[in-house]
Amino acid sequence: MTAEKAKGMNTGRIISIVVGALLIGGVAFFAYKYYNEKSKNEDQVESMDGMTAEIEDLENNLEDYQTDLENADLDLEEKERLLAEKEQLLVDKQKRIDELVRSNKLSRAQAETLRGKVEQLEYYIKKYQGEIAELRAELDEVTEENATLKGQVGNMRGEVRDLKRAKETSDFKLETAAILNAHSFSYFRVKSSGKAIEETRFRRGQMDNFRICMEINQNLAAEAGARDLFVQIKDPAGKIIKDTKKSGYFTYEEQDVAYTLKKGIDYDRTTKSVCVDFDQPEGYDYQKGNHSVIVYCDGYDIGQGKFEVK
């Protein structure tokens, strides 16, 4: 065998070894990436379940506080201290969620869901703070009974004003806490077969059958029952798109405001997925650009989204 042939055979073996090593390395890389992603998803699910359980325990804890509030053997300062502890627990849950997001143990979508649950528990805090304020006012009133009649009259007037302001503030906070929240908007073109295809950008010819979906958050402060969602779709110029069969007007901030379509829902204080279908109005042609979607309920703007027509 000549030296040239031996050299060629050695070169071929080296190339084969290098190619084999690259293939093995590639398989190992993708295997590592797969199991790493799988492990990350499992950690996120575990973190989500753990935080959900903690929040539910805190919710039960807050509901049980009513017993402490009605306990005549506990003085007012102790009741205030116990409520402050529960309020701090609420803050700690928010911080814990932020930490889990930073360490990739929660996705941003999971964190948004958990934050929504924590924020709803603020309803209980505001409710009990209002009741303690009333107890404090009653205690002050009894203390002032030992003062002179003139001082009593002046102090009682001040207390009445303070109670009225506290009640107005408490009522406002409770009313605000009861507002529903719409988020996670998604958009679909619906084919004649009924199949819905999610898009973020639509061609003008794809808007004949159009669907808008959203999530309505769980809200423990809101009353359960029937609700009307008023949906506005605005073109790039800000003009509300109307359909003679589905559009109309509703009252918003003491004015009649136009809406594109209306959707009735039965709200049961839990997270709810809602979809509305909107067929392209006869004689209307969508303009190119970003379109806004605004949803109103109970006289409030509860959420906004957008989609693009190209």
Side-chain angles (χ1 to χ4, degrees):
M1 179 182 295
T2 65
E4 289 78 2
K5 290 183 178 179
K7 183 178 180 180
M9 291 176 65
N10 289 336
T11 301
R13 290 192 186 97
I14 292 171
I15 292 174
S16 298
I17 291 170
V18 171
V19 171
L22 290 174
L23 288 173
I24 292 172
V27 170
F29 171 77
F30 285 110
Y32 169 80
K33 185 175 181 181
Y34 168 79
Y35 286 110
N36 186 56
E37 188 66 26
K38 180 180 179 183
S39 176
K40 176 183 175 182
N41 291 337
E42 289 173 349
D43 287 346
Q44 288 183 346
V45 170
E46 183 178 353
S47 298
M48 181 69 176
D49 291 343
M51 284 302 302
T52 300
E54 290 180 25
I55 292 170
E56 289 175 351
D57 287 343
L58 180 55
E59 178 184 346
N60 294 331
N61 194 323
L62 281 168
E63 290 178 339
D64 292 341
Y65 178 72
Q66 185 68 45
T67 302
D68 293 331
L69 199 61
E70 296 170 354
N71 187 349
D73 294 332
L74 286 177
D75 58 32
L76 191 56
E77 285 73 19
E78 180 64 10
K79 294 175 181 179
E80 289 176 330
R81 185 189 66 79
L82 290 172
L83 183 59
E85 288 181 354
K86 299 181 191 308
E87 187 175 17
Q88 183 59 48
L89 286 174
L90 211 61
V91 174
D92 292 342
K93 298 303 178 191
Q94 289 281 24
K95 292 180 179 178
R96 177 61 177 154
I97 291 169
D98 293 339
E99 291 172 359
L100 290 172
V101 172
R102 286 194 294 270
S103 61
N104 288 325
K105 292 184 178 180
L106 274 181
S107 69
R108 294 192 178 277
Q110 290 172 325
E112 181 180 353
T113 299
L114 291 172
R115 289 191 185 104
K117 292 178 181 295
V118 171
E119 289 172 359
Q120 295 307 320
L121 297 187
E122 292 179 356
Y123 160 74
Y124 290 103
I125 298 294
K126 301 304 181 186
K127 174 177 179 290
Y128 294 139
Q129 285 176 341
E131 292 184 25
I132 283 181
E134 292 179 1
L135 290 173
R136 174 65 68 185
E138 291 173 3
L139 181 62
D140 292 343
E141 182 179 349
V142 171
T143 302
E144 288 298 322
E145 287 179 354
N146 297 323
T148 62
L149 180 61
K150 182 178 179 179
Q152 286 182 338
V153 172
N155 288 334
M156 287 179 65
R157 286 175 179 173
E159 288 170 3
V160 169
R161 287 195 298 269
D162 290 343
L163 280 172
K164 184 177 179 180
R165 284 194 292 266
K167 185 177 184 303
E168 290 173 350
T169 301
S170 177
D171 289 345
F172 174 76
K173 290 178 179 178
L174 291 175
E175 180 181 353
T176 302
I179 299 172
L180 300 185
N181 177 34
H183 63 93
S184 300
F185 286 79
S186 53
Y187 309 94
F188 301 82
R189 56 184 176 92
V190 183
K191 302 178 70 173
S192 58
S193 63
K195 181 179 180 181
I197 301 174
E198 184 174 1
E199 303 277 8
T200 55
R201 302 178 68 198
F202 298 85
R203 291 193 298 272
R204 297 170 76 180
Q206 296 176 330
M207 306 297 291
D208 290 345
N209 300 293
F210 184 56
R211 179 173 296 166
I212 303 171
C213 294
M214 69 200 78
E215 293 289 320
I216 305 294
N217 266 358
Q218 177 190 46
N219 191 333
L220 300 175
E223 292 186 7
R227 295 284 202 288
D228 283 330
L229 303 181
F230 297 96
V231 182
Q232 289 180 339
I233 303 176
K234 293 185 177 181
D235 66 16
K239 184 178 180 180
I240 299 173
I241 299 173
K242 299 179 184 178
D243 181 274
T244 55
K245 297 178 181 178
K246 294 187 175 182
S247 301
Y249 292 86
F250 70 103
T251 302
Y252 177 65
E253 295 183 347
E254 300 182 353
Q255 294 184 354
D256 289 336
V257 178
Y259 65 83
T260 305
L261 67 158
K262 179 172 71 172
K263 175 73 173 182
I265 63 171
D266 186 12
Y267 187 69
D268 57 5
R269 304 173 74 201
T270 64
T271 299
K272 199 173 195 67
S273 297
V274 178
C275 292
V276 291
D277 291 324
F278 183 64
D279 299 336
Q280 183 168 336
E282 184 177 352
Y284 179 79
D285 192 13
Y286 283 89
Q287 303 299 310
K288 292 183 179 180
N290 288 324
H291 289 63
S292 301
V293 175
I294 308 172
V295 181
Y296 298 85
C297 183
D298 295 335
Y300 294 96
D301 173 350
I302 67 169
Q304 299 186 15
K306 65 179 180 179
F307 63 90
E308 183 181 357
V309 177
K310 59 181 179 179

